[in-house]
């Protein structure tokens, strides 16, 4: 199967698998990350097939929706990729990108890093900030039944990985605990440039939010 056919088949698999997904982790999130990844890849020397497959499959079974199981995503992606005859070294690379690209993985000592991971990670982080990122944060907060804002509950800027995974704090806190931190965690020059404008938009949004709250 050639590159284009592989990607086309993978798109169909992802669309079908995520047809009932939460709105911040649905096919359109995947599509944006895939588009961002291809854009960033134009300015880097990297394996485009690995990048596209990892971008398309990175949330195929997000641990947040599977009782915190951090291996179900790589396993689901691996089963699919084996089924369409992808080479084992590519499968393992894609699985490791999925395994190590998330924000919560950053709480641990880095165990794996390639330019392909850097690109897909940047693409995913871009979709977590800016106007889209704000919409996704509140959508997920609503999905989990969280408060929008509670001035009595302060952001925890020194939380552990387990505390981050189990947090039930108001959605506004998530801006300080993750979203506003992403600009300085981008890997590629293109990712950094794209993140700055989105970061600025979030800061403007928060200023307006507090004006209206007060």
């Amino acid at each position: 199967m050639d590159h284009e056919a592989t990607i086309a088949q993978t798109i169909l698999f992802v669309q079908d698998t995520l047809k009932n997904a939460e709105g911040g982790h649905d096919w359109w999130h995947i599509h944006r990350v895939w588009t961002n990844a291809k854009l960033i890849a134009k300015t880097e020397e990297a394996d485009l097939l690995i990048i596209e497959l990892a971008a398309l499959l990175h949330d195929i079974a997000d641990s947040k929706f599977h009782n915190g199981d951090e291996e179900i995503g790589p396993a689901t992606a691996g089963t699919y990729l084996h089924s369409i005859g992808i080479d084992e070294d590519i499968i393992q690379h894609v699985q490791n990108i999925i395994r190590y690209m998330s924000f919560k993985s950053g709480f641990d000592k880095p165990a794996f890093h390639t330019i392909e991971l850097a690109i897909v990670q940047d693409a995913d982080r871009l979709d977590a900030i800016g106007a889209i990122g704000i919409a996704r944060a509140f959508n997920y907060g609503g999905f989990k039944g969280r408060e929008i804002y509670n001035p009595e509950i302060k952001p925890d800027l020194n939380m552990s990985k387990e505390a981050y995974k189990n947090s039930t704090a108001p959605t506004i806190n998530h801006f300080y605990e993750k979203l506003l931190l992403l600009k300085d965690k981008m890997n590629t020059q293109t990712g950094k440039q794209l993140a700055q404008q989105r970061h600025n938009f979030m800061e403007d949004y928060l200023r307006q939010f507090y004006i209206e709250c007060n």
Side-chain angles (χ1 to χ4, degrees), residues 145-163:
R146 295 178 182 172
E147 293 179 284
I148 291 175
Y149 173 56
N150 185 335
E152 296 181 0
I153 303 175
K154 303 301 182 184
D156 182 355
L157 304 182
N158 296 296
M159 64 172 60
S160 66
K161 180 179 179 180
E162 285 305 308

Side-chain angles (χ1 to χ4, degrees), residues 70 98-110 121 161:
E70 295 181 19
I98 296 169
R99 185 174 287 119
Y100 295 113
M101 66 178 278
S102 69
F103 179 78
K104 63 181 178 291
S105 294
F107 286 92
D108 301 321
K109 185 176 180 179
Q121 188 175 60
K161 180 179 179 180

Side-chain angles (χ1 to χ4, degrees), residues 15-200:
Q15 288 175 327
D16 181 64
T17 303
L18 299 181
K19 59 181 178 292
N20 296 315
E22 179 266 333
H25 298 81
D26 61 3
W27 160 247
W28 294 110
H29 163 63
I30 303 300
H31 185 272
R32 291 188 300 270
V33 172
W34 175 50
T35 301
N36 287 335
K38 289 188 291 180
L39 176 64
I40 296 169
K42 291 180 180 179
T43 62
E44 305 289 338
E45 292 203 14
D47 188 313
L48 188 59
L49 179 61
I50 290 171
I51 290 167
E52 291 196 61
L53 288 174
L56 288 168
L57 294 167
H58 79 278
D59 270 347
I60 199 64
D62 190 309
S63 63
K64 289 192 291 295
F65 307 105
H66 292 85
N67 299 313
D69 183 352
E70 295 181 19
E71 280 301 310
I72 192 169
T76 302
T79 298
Y80 164 72
L81 293 172
H82 278 116
S83 77
I84 63 169
I86 299 298
D87 291 344
E88 185 63 34
D89 58 337
I90 293 176
I91 294 174
Q92 291 184 12
H93 196 156
V94 170
Q95 287 180 305
N96 276 328
I97 291 174
I98 296 169
R99 185 174 287 119
Y100 295 113
M101 66 178 278
S102 69
F103 179 78
K104 63 181 178 291
S105 294
F107 286 92
D108 301 321
K109 185 176 180 179
F112 176 83
H113 187 79
T114 63
I115 186 58
E116 289 80 14
L117 181 148
I119 290 168
V120 179
Q121 188 175 60
D122 277 7
D124 188 42
R125 287 174 172 175
L126 284 171
D127 207 55
I129 59 179
I132 291 290
I134 291 170
R136 291 181 66 216
F138 286 114
N139 191 84
Y140 184 72
F143 176 80
K144 298 293 286 186
R146 295 178 182 172
E147 293 179 284
I148 291 175
Y149 173 56
N150 185 335
E152 296 181 0
I153 303 175
K154 303 301 182 184
D156 182 355
L157 304 182
N158 296 296
M159 64 172 60
S160 66
K161 180 179 179 180
E162 285 305 308
Y164 175 81
K165 288 171 61 177
N166 296 316
S167 175
T168 58
T171 298
I172 282 294
N173 291 27
H174 190 59
F175 284 75
Y176 302 95
E177 294 166 352
K178 176 183 177 181
L179 307 188
L180 292 171
L181 306 178
L182 293 179
K183 171 179 71 69
D184 294 328
K185 293 181 178 291
M186 304 300 284
N187 302 294
T188 65
Q189 193 59 40
T190 301
K192 292 174 183 177
Q193 291 170 354
L194 293 170
Q196 184 64 60
Q197 188 274 334
R198 298 186 186 209
H199 179 88
N200 294 345

